[in-house]
Amino acid sequence: MEITINGKEESMFGNPPEVGEQLPKFKLEDADGNKVKTADIIGRITLLSTVPDIDTPVCSVETRKFNQEADKFPDVRFLTVSNNTVEQQKNWCAAQGVANLQMLSDENLSLGYAMKLYLPNFGALARTIFIVDATGKIIYRQVVSEITNEPDYDDALNALKKVAKRVDD
């Protein structure tokens, strides 16, 4: 699958999983250095967004947006994954006051390769949003075709509203 970065075509490691497929097995690292495996994510509806670099403007805006939405969906786990180090993510979260979602590091590219979201020539993950049901089945997928663009938040949040209660509805 190809996406663009400032209009220049970049190839992904493969084709990301489709709606209806199970979340593949991968290992990430949380802010405390603990391993978070796919099995740890299953069991609850999850909105999983991947961003190339948390220290860039678009990634920062996206993550703050989902942080704001997370408290409106108390039954949903919001995860943002980048291949930044745990330390970079902790520093960013502290500086931005992000506490409603969980940042996970894919510094070892386990998720990037398992979900085919890694951009080898760019050295980072593609910008994507997946919604996964409690059984680990992918029920929504958005791969942002131009990495410098923000995702379609409304589309993702409307899909989430179909499967999870929002407190202000």
Side-chain angles (χ1 to χ4, degrees):
M1 178 171 214
E2 295 205 347
I3 61 168
T4 58
I5 302 171
N6 292 316
K8 180 180 178 261
E9 286 190 5
E10 289 287 337
S11 293
M12 295 174 78
F13 180 68
N15 291 316
E18 299 282 347
V19 169
E21 293 181 29
Q22 285 296 120
L23 204 57
K25 292 183 178 174
F26 52 78
K27 291 180 187 165
L28 302 167
E29 198 172 348
D30 71 12
D32 298 321
N34 299 315
K35 296 292 181 208
V36 177
K37 297 180 276 193
T38 305
D40 300 322
I41 294 169
I42 293 173
R44 190 169 163 198
I45 295 170
T46 301
L47 185 142
L48 169 71
S49 69
T50 63
V51 298
D53 182 352
I54 196 60
D55 289 319
T56 59
V58 176
C59 298
S60 188
V61 166
E62 177 180 340
T63 305
R64 284 195 317 267
K65 171 72 173 171
F66 284 130
N67 182 63
Q68 291 168 351
E69 293 294 328
D71 62 354
K72 297 174 187 170
F73 293 93
D75 297 333
V76 176
R77 176 186 296 120
F78 280 72
L79 303 175
T80 296
V81 178
S82 72
N83 57 313
N84 293 92
T85 66
V86 168
E87 195 62 34
Q88 287 172 314
Q89 290 181 347
K90 280 168 61 170
N91 291 342
W92 182 88
C93 286
Q96 299 293 325
V98 168
N100 294 337
L101 64 73
Q102 185 177 18
M103 290 281 313
L104 295 171
S105 175
D106 190 29
E107 190 177 2
N108 295 323
L109 300 172
S110 175
L111 175 142
Y113 285 120
M115 291 187 68
K116 314 285 194 268
L117 302 178
Y118 183 57
L119 300 163
N121 294 332
F122 186 56
L125 301 176
R127 184 178 313 287
T128 66
I129 301 170
F130 289 88
I131 298 174
V132 182
D133 72 10
T135 69
K137 184 172 81 173
I138 296 168
I139 57 174
Y140 175 87
R141 176 184 105 149
Q142 182 181 149
V143 178
V144 180
S145 59
E146 167 57 55
I147 208 164
T148 61
N149 292 342
E150 291 180 55
D152 184 337
Y153 301 112
D154 290 340
D155 191 55
L157 293 169
N158 285 333
L160 189 58
K161 285 180 197 173
K162 291 177 184 173
V163 296
K165 279 209 173 288
R166 188 177 151 135
V167 293
D168 60 357
D169 280 349

